[in-house]
Amino acid sequence: KDYVSQGHVERISELCELMAESMNLHDKQTRNLVLLSKVHDIGKIGVPDEILNKPAKLTKNEYEKMKLHVKTGYNIASRSRELVTIASLILHHHEHWDGTGYPDSLKEHEIHLECRILAIVDAFDAMTNDRPYHKGMSIEEALNEIESCAGTQFDPSLARHFVKNMRLSWAKTLEELNAPKHPDAPDSSEAHS
């Protein structure tokens, strides 16, 4: 409905998979994390387009309407056989390590691990890509911001883990994922006989 068509879901799914692999998460957590990365904003279906695409800061009233997307997403997921197992993850994906997030002001380890991981990955993607309300910043600027928010918005140990791995190797993977494909290049899905 908003920036999903610009590759947001693909980028954060890839980064969530890298986080899961590097942390040796068990299969169920990995599956839940990747599924969460793909549908965490499903509740935005109920947010008016003029709020989603507003090119300026939201008013207090608009922000309150935007925050409702987690409850809408929870309600949708709770009624879906395929998503019911991650309904509470959708509800809590905007909780902050220090308890200042929403909707339930959960803090630290009260927040599901999958939500703590997604919070970092989602914020990183939001910072490094253009949105109606801001121009994307460099990877290094975003990593510095994640470091500065470790212990407040983000789980400090997960933030350190993400930043370290991004600087060591993941940035290259992300650049390859975002690289424009040459128009004459064969489609990799085509099989040759």
Side-chain angles (χ1 to χ4, degrees):
K1 194 171 177 197
D2 55 355
Y3 52 84
V4 170
S5 61
Q6 299 169 26
H8 175 68
V9 170
E10 292 80 8
R11 290 188 302 269
I12 66 169
S13 293
E14 176 72 20
L15 287 172
C16 283
E17 286 185 41
L18 289 169
M19 279 289 279
E21 184 181 317
S22 68
M23 294 172 63
N24 295 315
L25 295 186
H26 59 73
D27 289 346
K28 182 180 179 192
Q29 278 184 306
T30 299
R31 279 193 309 273
N32 286 345
L33 176 60
V34 172
L35 183 56
L36 177 64
S37 73
K38 293 178 180 182
V39 299
H40 64 284
D41 280 337
I42 194 168
K44 285 188 176 177
I45 194 88
V47 178
D49 287 345
E50 59 271 13
I51 293 176
L52 280 179
N53 300 315
K54 185 175 179 179
K57 186 175 176 163
L58 299 180
T59 65
K60 185 174 176 16
N61 186 40
E62 289 168 335
Y63 183 59
E64 290 303 315
K65 286 181 183 173
M66 176 66 89
K67 286 177 16 179
L68 292 175
H69 83 276
V70 297
K71 290 183 179 180
T72 303
Y74 172 80
N75 290 334
I76 292 168
S78 295
R79 291 167 176 77
S80 165
R81 196 173 34 135
E82 294 83 8
L83 301 178
V84 70
T85 57
I86 65 160
S88 66
L89 301 179
I90 292 171
L91 180 64
H92 294 123
H93 78 272
H94 279 291
E95 299 288 357
H96 292 173
W97 181 254
D98 65 1
T100 61
Y102 63 88
D104 295 324
S105 302
L106 300 179
K107 62 190 285 190
E108 299 181 4
H109 294 283
E110 294 173 343
I111 307 165
H112 295 282
L113 176 62
E114 296 92 335
C115 295
R116 288 182 276 138
I117 293 170
L118 181 69
I120 295 166
V121 171
D122 195 27
F124 172 81
D125 191 72
M127 287 187 278
T128 56
N129 289 280
D130 293 345
R131 296 288 172 89
Y133 49 87
H134 79 83
K135 183 97 173 110
M137 61 177 69
S138 74
I139 287 175
E140 191 56 35
E141 289 171 319
L143 294 178
N144 290 337
E145 184 68 18
I146 287 171
E147 285 178 322
S148 75
C149 295
T152 54
Q153 184 173 353
F154 306 123
D155 177 326
S157 111
L158 292 177
R160 282 191 299 273
H161 182 85
F162 179 82
V163 168
K164 180 182 91 171
N165 281 284
M166 184 59 75
R167 286 183 174 141
L168 288 175
S169 63
W170 294 351
K172 186 173 187 323
T173 301
L174 195 62
E175 287 169 6
E176 289 168 1
L177 186 67
N178 291 326
K181 295 183 174 49
H182 190 278
D184 297 331
D187 183 345
S188 60
S189 64
E190 292 177 9
H192 297 288
S193 14

